[in-house]
Amino acid sequence: MFRNEELFERLFNQRHDPSEKLLVSAEVCSLVYSFEGTDVDSAKSEIKFLASLTGKSGLQLYRDVTTLKERGLIQSRDVWRAVLPHAIANRLAKRALEAIPKDTLVQSFLNSGSERLIKSFTRRLSFLHDCETAVKIVNEWLAEDGWLGKKNCKFNSFGMEVFKNIAPVSPAKTLEAIKRAANGVEGNRFASTENIHCNEFVELLRLLAYDSELFDRCVDIMCRFALSGTEEDKYNSTRDVLKSLFYIYLSGTHASVESRAKVIEGLVDSEDQNCQALGLYLLDSALESWHFSPSYEFAFGARPRDYGYYPKTRKERTLWYEMFIGICTRLALSEKHIAQKARKILSDNFRGLWTNAGMFESLEKSAKQIHEQMSWNEGWIAVCGILRYDRESLKEENLERLYRLEKHLKPNNLLERARTYALSEEHLAFDLEDDLDHTKNASSS
């Protein structure tokens, strides 16, 4: 049920004659997000242009706009007018799209000579993903030979804004248009930081990746953007946007844990060192268990959206972390040059995974596997950090197993102690040495 139904009825179903005529005027005014509502006579008059779609004169529509303003449907700011609230405006716009022939309407806007009017029209379209006519218009524009499609994403600022406006109406077709550009003759230049709209395309791809069926294709192109930077800017905003899709919470995507793990494994198992580094960067975000905050927009037109995947049970959360701890452990035990970085990522996330995520068994298993192969000093420092800062909050059984793990990982010879000292910027490990008495059990600590 339309949530503003009573207001709509009050405005247009009154018993005096002008109501039906006002409805037509309100419909055509709602086709644009806002319009200049004081100029009636000039060649660039927006109100005159809108009036032409109804067969009225500019002066007649101006009078209707004044009446609609008195009834509270149109609001004004300086010379600008807009049909509000937007819930009503969207409904009125759908009626207008049904009443005016599609081709006539589209050509009227495209031939208007006003970029501002076209942008305003496409902004309204952005809220009409559930309108068949709006979807047809957008799909025709995005087709390979369409108004926007034939540009192959070589947009000026006007074209880029229009492209972003209509993206929520047809996400799949929008992605197809981006993919054509990325795979075209000039694809390498397009999917790179040389593209003046690089950040805008990447942020748009993040929004498109919300749908699990579009995720893989979106991320594939985002990775190309992220990998195109030089060594100096490899940790640029493009990588940060990509990284946001791999958090367990507030990711903005409903892609499965398996889909995200597949992307990371594809990167870290590549022969390209830049791909491996990017994979580790994403793996680090997948292991994050403590600090989550929304860094980017989640709204996408009028499409109902949430913050993305959210584990509903402890089992789902455990499966997530087990997946990525497993990948990290595999890399840590490998012969790859990134093995040391993988061990560092695991140790950096160890405290959160133990204290906050409760991944006791997985962490114990990984720590012992790594220690069997080599001394894992970073892991011991991480365990000591938990004992220093979190032991009061841990259950007795989990504290006891942590003491056992600390004893297992503890460096036993002078060389390893020296290495550990060098690894610990705050010399945390050696500050803790006097604090830990392994003859005490957890309850007496």
Side-chain angles (χ1 to χ4, degrees):
M1 173 65 73
F2 183 68
R3 60 186 301 181
N4 290 290
E5 194 72 45
E6 291 184 7
L7 176 59
F8 188 85
E9 295 294 330
R10 179 171 61 83
L11 289 168
F12 296 114
N13 290 333
Q14 300 186 30
R15 294 183 179 180
H16 46 81
D17 182 59
S19 292
E20 185 60 33
K21 294 180 180 179
L22 281 177
L23 178 57
V24 173
S25 296
E27 288 171 353
V28 75
C29 288
S30 70
L31 284 171
V32 291
Y33 198 74
S34 65
F35 60 96
E36 199 282 316
T38 60
D39 178 10
V40 176
D41 297 319
S42 76
K44 295 183 178 180
S45 169
E46 293 186 2
I47 200 166
K48 188 175 181 179
F49 168 80
L50 293 172
S52 70
L53 298 175
T54 67
K56 297 182 179 182
S57 68
L59 183 58
Q60 287 174 317
L61 184 60
Y62 178 84
R63 289 170 177 164
D64 288 347
V65 168
T66 301
T67 303
L68 291 168
K69 182 182 175 183
E70 291 172 353
R71 295 193 180 187
L73 183 66
I74 283 182
Q75 295 185 20
S76 64
R77 179 177 296 176
D78 193 21
V79 300
W80 304 105
R81 306 288 183 268
V83 179
L84 293 170
H86 286 302
I88 285 182
N90 293 339
R91 180 180 181 184
L92 291 170
K94 292 176 188 177
R95 291 171 62 104
L97 289 173
E98 294 170 357
I100 303 173
K102 174 176 64 67
D103 293 340
T104 300
L105 180 65
V106 169
Q107 289 307 313
S108 295
F109 273 99
L110 296 186
N111 295 331
S112 68
S114 171
E115 289 187 356
R116 206 212 72 81
L117 265 179
I118 296 172
K119 287 190 288 187
S120 191
F121 174 54
T122 57
R123 182 69 189 281
R124 176 60 65 204
L125 288 179
S126 70
F127 299 106
L128 305 180
H129 65 275
D130 55 351
C131 173
E132 183 178 350
T133 304
V135 174
K136 285 182 179 179
I137 291 172
V138 168
N139 286 346
E140 288 176 6
W141 282 354
L142 292 173
E144 196 165 355
D145 58 349
W147 176 53
L148 291 172
K150 64 185 178 183
K151 300 287 186 181
N152 204 29
C153 290
K154 295 179 183 176
F155 299 129
N156 56 19
S157 58
F158 162 68
M160 191 69 223
E161 184 170 347
V162 169
F163 187 71
K164 291 191 296 182
N165 280 348
I166 64 173
V169 184
S170 187
K173 293 296 182 182
T174 300
L175 178 56
E176 282 183 19
I178 296 174
K179 190 174 181 180
R180 282 199 305 270
N183 294 337
V185 176
E186 298 183 57
N188 289 337
R189 188 178 185 282
F190 168 80
S192 74
T193 53
E194 292 181 29
N195 189 329
I196 61 172
H197 299 300
C198 169
N199 290 335
E200 291 172 283
F201 277 116
V202 169
E203 290 178 13
L204 178 56
L205 284 164
R206 186 190 71 83
L207 290 167
L208 294 172
Y210 175 87
D211 297 314
S212 57
E213 61 269 22
L214 303 182
F215 177 82
D216 290 344
R217 284 172 284 168
C218 289
V219 168
D220 179 64
I221 302 173
M222 292 176 76
C223 285
R224 290 176 59 184
F225 275 107
L227 290 167
S228 69
T230 62
E231 184 68 21
E232 287 73 23
D233 66 356
K234 66 179 181 177
Y235 294 112
N236 53 33
S237 59
T238 300
R239 294 190 174 218
D240 289 339
V241 176
L242 179 59
K243 183 177 182 178
S244 70
L245 292 171
F246 288 82
Y247 289 113
I248 187 173
Y249 301 111
L250 302 177
S251 65
T253 178
H254 279 277
S256 66
V257 59
E258 291 81 9
S259 293
R260 287 184 258 196
K262 182 180 177 181
V263 171
I264 291 174
E265 289 188 307
L267 289 167
V268 296
D269 291 337
S270 168
E271 296 300 320
D272 186 292
Q273 292 187 10
N274 291 326
C275 289
Q276 293 174 358
L278 180 60
L280 290 177
Y281 191 60
L282 302 182
L283 179 59
D284 185 46
S285 65
L287 289 171
E288 176 63 57
S289 59
W290 225 314
H291 307 293
F292 301 97
S293 61
S295 302
Y296 302 97
E297 289 290 330
F298 294 94
F300 197 46
R303 289 183 175 274
R305 287 197 160 183
D306 53 27
Y307 295 123
Y309 171 75
Y310 188 98
K312 298 180 179 63
T313 64
R314 179 175 177 80
K315 181 180 179 181
E316 289 182 357
R317 186 176 68 167
T318 298
L319 287 173
W320 171 284
Y321 286 121
E322 282 180 344
M323 175 74 75
F324 295 108
I325 290 173
I327 294 173
C328 200
T329 304
R330 174 174 69 82
L331 294 172
L333 295 170
S334 71
E335 298 295 326
K336 294 177 180 287
H337 77 280
I338 59 174
Q340 183 177 352
K341 293 180 180 178
R343 292 193 292 271
K344 180 68 164 56
I345 287 174
L346 187 58
S347 65
D348 286 346
N349 288 282
F350 204 98
R351 181 184 171 197
L353 290 169
W354 186 283
T355 302
N356 196 49
M359 299 301 298
F360 313 119
E361 292 183 10
S362 295
L363 291 173
E364 280 181 328
K365 181 180 177 181
S366 295
K368 290 176 180 178
Q369 286 178 328
I370 294 171
H371 188 67
E372 284 176 7
Q373 191 175 100
M374 70 204 73
S375 295
W376 190 31
N377 301 323
E378 302 103 316
W380 181 68
I381 292 172
V383 171
C384 290
I386 301 172
L387 289 171
R388 160 160 283 197
Y389 297 114
D390 303 321
R391 58 181 168 186
E392 298 298 329
S393 63
L394 294 175
K395 291 182 179 180
E396 181 177 342
E397 59 183 290
N398 295 325
L399 186 56
E400 287 178 347
R401 68 200 304 179
L402 194 62
Y403 273 116
R404 290 194 296 270
L405 185 59
E406 185 275 330
K407 185 176 181 180
H408 184 78
L409 296 178
K410 184 177 180 179
N412 293 316
N413 60 60
L414 184 60
L415 178 59
E416 290 305 324
R417 285 172 179 265
R419 287 175 177 171
T420 304
Y421 187 86
L423 284 170
S424 179
E425 294 181 1
E426 300 178 356
H427 311 310
L428 172 62
F430 287 85
D431 288 342
L432 274 171
E433 184 132 23
D434 294 334
D435 293 343
L436 303 180
D437 184 349
H438 302 301
T439 63
K440 299 179 181 180
N441 60 29
S443 61
S444 62
S445 298

